[in-house]
């Protein structure tokens, strides 16, 4: 009985596609919350980057981005850089974005690596 239930759950999980990221909304959030430091192209060269003690991450650096999990990115965005032992200059956006918006933003940021 347990094996049958497990088979049904696994089958359902493989048939139901994951929700697609809302990249248009994520782009808007990136421009609002991130581009001032990370730059319009995600290269870490935004207008405020020079004022920070740590250079903002270059999202187009594929080798560095592949080494960072989505979970780490999620926590860094939601709780701030210090929460994942990154720069204290990275603010927490938990008051500005919902969890689904953060997940969409991660998908958008990952697209800078081509």
């Amino acid at each position: 009985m347990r094996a049958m239930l497990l088979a049904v759950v696994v089958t359902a999980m493989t048939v139901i596609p994951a929700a697609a990221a809302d990249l248009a909304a994520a782009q808007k959030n990136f421009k609002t919350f991130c581009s001032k430091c990370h730059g319009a192209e995600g290269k870490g060269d935004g207008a405020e980057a020079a004022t920070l003690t740590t250079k903002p991450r270059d999202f187009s650096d594929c080798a560095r981005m592949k080494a960072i999990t989505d979970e780490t990115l999620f926590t860094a965005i939601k709780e701030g850089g210090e929460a994942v032992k990154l720069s204290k200059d990275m603010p927490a956006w938990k008051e500005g974005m919902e969890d689904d918006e953060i997940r969409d933003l991660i998908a958008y940021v990952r697209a800078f690596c081509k």
Side-chain angles (χ1 to χ4, degrees):
M1 180 71 168
R2 277 182 104 184
M4 187 173 171
L5 180 59
L6 180 60
V8 169
V9 170
V10 170
T11 302
M13 289 172 53
T14 58
V15 174
I16 300 170
D22 184 348
L23 294 181
Q27 180 181 30
K28 183 178 176 185
N29 280 334
F30 184 84
K31 286 180 182 178
T32 301
F33 297 104
C34 312
S35 66
K36 60 188 164 202
C37 296
H38 290 281
E41 302 295 318
K43 295 185 181 291
D45 59 355
E48 294 184 22
T51 67
L52 304 174
T53 56
T54 303
K55 185 180 183 328
R57 184 161 311 276
D58 178 353
F59 298 131
S60 68
D61 182 340
C62 296
R64 269 185 99 189
M65 290 304 293
K66 286 179 183 175
I68 302 171
T69 66
D70 286 352
E71 180 181 324
T72 298
L73 287 173
F74 182 90
T75 303
I77 295 166
K78 185 167 183 160
E79 303 295 334
E82 282 187 300
V84 290
K85 297 181 175 47
L86 295 175
S87 174
K88 65 180 179 173
D89 291 329
M90 171 63 191
W93 294 112
K94 61 186 166 195
E95 300 301 323
M97 284 185 266
E98 299 293 326
D99 288 358
D100 287 343
E101 291 176 302
I102 294 172
R103 287 185 193 93
D104 291 348
L105 183 60
I106 291 168
Y108 181 78
V109 163
R110 292 239 182 246
F112 285 117
C113 177
K114 296 175 184 164

